[in-house]
Amino acid sequence: MRRKPRGIRRLKRTQEGRHTANYQAGLKAGYNQGLLAGQSSYHSLFEGTSIIIPSYNQVNYLRGCIDSIMDNTEQPHEIIVVDNASTDGTAEYLEQLDGQVRYRVLKQNYGFAGAVNTGLMMAKGTTMLVLNNDTLVTDNWLGNMLTCLHSDPTIGMVGPVTNYISGDQQIQVPYERIEDMPEFARLHNISDPKRWERTDRLPGFCLLFRRELWERIGFLDEGFEFGNYEDDDYNIRTRLLGYSLVIARDSFIHHFGSVSIKALGDQLDQVNTRNMVYYMTKWNNPYAWIHQVRASDPKLTSLTAKGETAFYPESVVVKGIGPQVYWIEQGIKRPIEGEWSGPVVRLPQVLLRSWPAAEALTSAEAASKWNALHSAHYGAPMHGQIASGLDGFLYYLENGTKRRIITEAAAVSWHLNERAKYPLTVEQLQEMPEGLPLIPPIKLRQVL
């Protein structure tokens, strides 16, 4: 066999090297162009729905869920999958979808709330939908839910009915084989406003809401580890702002049933117990607070405009994702200049934006304000001070009103338990008008 002359072999290697170099240069240029395009369009939204699917080690269910969305969703939408560090090939499957799905694979398991929160941060739609990966959506599912959501601005979240869930959204179905499900759903999913029903609770297997609700309430509470009760918590926070929850009974989807959370096996009971304790410690009796808020202001117009920060205290120090800390007072945030050594409460950036910014104050000025609220003097009660009542509750005094601190957890989360307490008499309690209750902020395990 004759070998090619050295000159030809050398020329061929040179040409191959140039091709490789050109390829790498083109790849880098394309990446940089894509990066610039993404940065320039970061704040751009589209009139459609961001479907956010958290996943964990159930790639076959996830594949079926995504296929069903592609087959049954005519409305403008994007699919976002956030995977909790699965080890079953989920990442490889998502990569093979070749841009049909936006996704992120987390480095560790942040649970249902953590994955959903990452998806909410990625979402570009004017409406958002959280969907379990063990579901199959059906004909007209999203259109009917959107019609319900947009029928009334006071509707906060909408959920469909299904074959398997706790609560009022479960219905009896005639099919036994999954192959027979689509035909049942097609006949069931005929748009009909008479089949919409207000409810006190919507489980998180499928939740549709407007972007503006997220901007006013923020993220799911990542204090609920792995899963369970974070949806109940979000329900309460939605209703506190005066929004209602609605079951769209003209929309049916199939739910295989908590596949990822059941995979915890023996740990499931432990997770449920821990999350239930966290929920009760945080809220005690949340429905009492909903009733109190709605009784005091039936229209709730100021709440829906201000958002969840209406239930936060003033005269506290907060921060978002950066190093800057802020002093909160009179509905504004004031940057603190200089080193602050006192307690700081971390909040999600989306809620930090709720307060308009005002002029800065020095760390010495902030410390003076902070120390005044911690000194034990019993003259006239001052703004930002804590008072104890004979009813066993702590109160936050604000602009001549008393705001009940709903639980000890709320006081601790804002470091209000460290302040000197003003002893209110029964007469003072009765004379002072009641303000909004004070709730704890959510816990975050990620930078959001």
Side-chain angles (χ1 to χ4, degrees):
M1 180 176 178
R2 294 182 59 186
R3 298 182 63 187
K4 293 181 181 179
R6 290 184 180 180
I8 296 177
R9 295 201 303 269
R10 190 179 303 115
L11 176 62
K12 185 177 181 181
R13 286 196 298 269
T14 301
Q15 290 173 337
E16 290 174 348
R18 287 174 180 169
H19 288 318
T20 301
N22 290 338
Y23 173 80
Q24 293 298 330
L27 185 65
K28 184 177 180 180
Y31 174 82
N32 289 334
Q33 289 175 7
L35 182 63
L36 289 173
Q39 290 172 340
S40 64
S41 63
Y42 180 77
H43 295 288
S44 300
L45 304 177
F46 75 98
E47 290 292 333
T49 303
S50 297
I51 302 173
I52 300 163
I53 308 174
S55 71
Y56 177 63
N57 275 349
Q58 300 295 335
V59 66
N60 289 330
Y61 285 100
L62 177 63
R63 182 181 289 109
C65 179
I66 291 175
D67 287 347
S68 72
I69 294 171
M70 293 179 175
D71 291 342
N72 295 286
T73 312
E74 299 177 353
Q75 294 72 23
H77 68 279
E78 64 173 352
I79 302 174
I80 299 173
V81 178
V82 182
D83 182 66
N84 271 313
S86 294
T87 58
D88 66 343
T90 296
E92 291 77 7
Y93 161 67
L94 292 171
E95 187 176 357
Q96 292 170 5
L97 291 176
D98 194 25
Q100 298 178 77
V101 171
R102 296 175 60 208
Y103 69 91
R104 180 173 175 191
V105 178
L106 302 176
K107 294 182 179 180
Q108 67 183 81
N109 187 351
Y110 284 101
F112 181 86
V116 168
N117 285 347
T118 297
L120 290 171
M121 189 167 57
M122 295 169 62
K124 298 289 188 179
T126 53
T127 53
M128 300 172 168
L129 185 136
V130 177
L131 183 67
N132 272 21
N133 63 343
D134 61 340
T135 56
L136 297 175
V137 303
T138 56
D139 189 47
N140 293 329
W141 74 290
L142 182 57
N144 290 355
M145 292 175 67
L146 285 168
T147 300
C148 177
L149 178 68
H150 293 313
S151 68
D152 185 345
T154 67
I155 296 176
M157 295 195 293
V158 173
V161 292
T162 189
N163 58 295
Y164 184 93
I165 200 66
S166 62
D168 295 336
Q169 289 167 264
Q170 180 170 322
I171 64 171
Q172 295 293 322
V173 295
Y175 63 87
E176 295 183 357
R177 301 186 312 151
I178 198 65
E179 293 81 4
D180 300 326
M181 182 273 295
E183 178 63 14
F184 162 75
R186 185 182 65 81
L187 297 173
H188 180 280
N189 291 359
I190 298 173
S191 183
D192 183 359
K194 295 191 295 294
R195 296 165 69 191
W196 301 340
E197 177 186 340
R198 295 184 183 255
T199 185
D200 291 340
R201 177 177 180 264
L202 289 174
F205 79 102
C206 182
L207 291 173
L208 175 68
F209 48 93
R210 300 178 190 86
R211 171 175 286 271
E212 66 185 43
L213 179 78
W214 170 69
E215 291 174 342
R216 291 167 179 169
I217 293 181
F219 294 100
L220 275 64
D221 191 336
E222 295 179 5
F224 297 99
E225 297 182 12
F226 295 111
N228 288 342
Y229 287 94
E230 67 284 296
D231 48 357
D232 295 284
D233 177 85
Y234 211 70
N235 283 190
I236 296 302
R237 292 157 61 197
T238 299
R239 295 184 63 199
L240 272 176
L241 289 185
Y243 292 103
S244 59
L245 312 177
V246 176
I247 302 173
R249 293 195 174 276
D250 55 357
S251 178
F252 170 89
I253 70 172
H254 181 83
H255 186 209
F256 289 100
S258 305
V259 172
S260 294
I261 193 70
K262 286 180 179 178
L264 290 172
D266 295 339
Q267 295 181 339
L268 180 57
D269 288 341
Q270 180 182 351
V271 168
N272 276 335
T273 300
R274 182 174 60 241
N275 286 351
M276 179 183 67
V277 170
Y278 179 71
Y279 178 84
M280 295 305 298
T281 301
K282 178 177 180 177
W283 291 108
N284 189 10
N285 182 2
Y287 299 103
W289 307 120
I290 293 172
H291 176 75
Q292 176 189 321
V293 170
R294 296 196 174 192
S296 61
D297 183 8
K299 293 184 179 180
L300 298 170
T301 52
S302 61
L303 291 183
T304 53
K306 188 174 182 182
E308 186 165 298
T309 55
F311 295 94
Y312 289 176
E314 297 191 343
S315 303
V316 293
V317 178
V318 302
K319 71 184 296 289
I321 60 176
Q324 180 63 60
V325 297
Y326 300 89
W327 178 265
I328 304 298
E329 65 178 13
Q330 302 300 324
I332 59 175
K333 61 176 184 282
R334 301 182 61 186
I336 298 177
E337 295 180 340
E339 185 176 351
W340 171 258
S341 58
V344 179
V345 178
R346 184 175 164 235
L347 298 178
Q349 200 72 12
V350 66
L351 290 188
L352 190 62
R353 293 198 298 262
S354 300
W355 291 290
E359 71 279 1
L361 75 166
T362 66
S363 56
E365 291 173 321
S368 177
K369 291 173 177 287
W370 181 266
N371 292 333
L373 295 169
H374 287 69
S375 61
H377 63 86
Y378 299 117
M382 60 186 294
H383 177 82
Q385 197 168 18
I386 303 302
S388 57
L390 296 178
D391 56 0
F393 281 96
L394 290 178
Y395 290 86
Y396 178 82
L397 306 183
E398 180 183 290
N399 299 323
T401 67
K402 62 178 186 291
R403 299 181 59 189
R404 195 174 303 190
I405 303 174
I406 66 170
T407 56
E408 182 181 355
V412 170
S413 64
W414 293 107
H415 302 280
L416 301 179
N417 59 312
E418 303 167 12
R419 296 185 181 180
K421 298 174 180 60
Y422 185 92
L424 282 177
T425 65
V426 174
E427 291 77 16
Q428 286 174 311
L429 271 176
Q430 292 174 343
E431 292 172 359
M432 195 174 291
E434 187 97 24
L436 292 173
L438 193 154
I439 70 173
I442 66 170
K443 293 182 180 179
L444 293 175
R445 299 169 60 199
Q446 304 176 86
V447 178
L448 298 170

